[in-house]
Amino acid sequence: MTIFARIIAGEIPCHRVYEDAHVLAFLDIGPVSDGHLLVVPKETKAQLHELSDESAAAIGRVLPRLARAVMQATGATAYNILQNNGAAAHQAVMHVHFHIIPKLGSAGLGVGWNPGTLDAARARELVASMQAAL
Ligand code: 5GP
């Protein structure tokens, strides 16, 4: 059982900001910036692609409202939504979660971004295989 499953079950306390039938949102214990919020589906799944449509929709329904609350509480006018899947992608807790991380001066998420160039032939291949997978 992950730490987040135990928080959802009420076995471990959290600073709860929001809860409904499908979603729990609480403050991150190691905030990258003031107001760093975690938004977690109650469904016990490790990674985003495993979520049911119902859970995914429930998260999508409340994320913008929670982002507005984070902005209002902290005064942030910029923020990042971060959602890690897999240890190689920096996921530490193997229960789906979305981070809402306000950008407050130099505090907030640092993003490493190394853009390449999209090859046209590769783009056609990718579109075909992704569409076949949907
Ligand atoms: P990940 O790297 O998996 O995307 O992020 C996991 C996040 O969960 C981290 O930001 C970490 O600070 C947070 N976290 C880990 N354990 C706890 C906990 O027991 N309570 C709370 N509120 N946050 C936690």
Side-chain angles (χ1 to χ4, degrees):
M1 201 177 191
T2 66
I3 194 95
F4 290 173
R6 297 182 67 193
I7 288 173
I8 290 163
E11 289 174 20
I12 292 178
C14 69
H15 294 281
R16 182 178 57 192
V17 169
Y18 174 85
E19 183 166 16
D20 65 29
H22 300 287
V23 179
L24 181 65
F26 51 94
L27 297 177
D28 195 296
I29 206 170
V32 170
S33 60
D34 188 46
H36 181 168
L37 188 67
L38 295 172
V39 185
V40 178
K42 290 184 175 177
E43 185 179 14
T44 305
K45 289 288 175 348
Q47 298 188 13
L48 182 73
H49 58 273
E50 300 174 304
L51 270 190
S52 65
D53 287 354
E54 191 180 31
S55 272
I59 292 268
R61 204 157 35 232
V62 295
L63 258 185
R65 186 142 56 101
L66 291 168
R68 286 194 292 274
V70 168
M71 293 175 81
Q72 203 162 313
T74 62
T77 54
Y79 62 93
N80 293 93
I81 302 289
L82 176 67
Q83 205 280 311
N84 298 327
N85 295 280
H90 300 279
Q91 184 179 10
V93 177
M94 296 300 160
H95 182 117
V96 177
H97 53 281
F98 289 72
H99 300 257
I100 302 178
I101 308 173
K103 195 74 183 172
L104 294 163
S106 62
L109 186 68
V111 179
W113 194 271
N114 303 305
T117 13
L118 183 61
D119 173 77
R122 180 63 182 146
R124 281 192 293 277
E125 273 175 18
L126 287 167
V127 168
S129 62
M130 286 182 195
Q131 287 182 340
L134 287 172

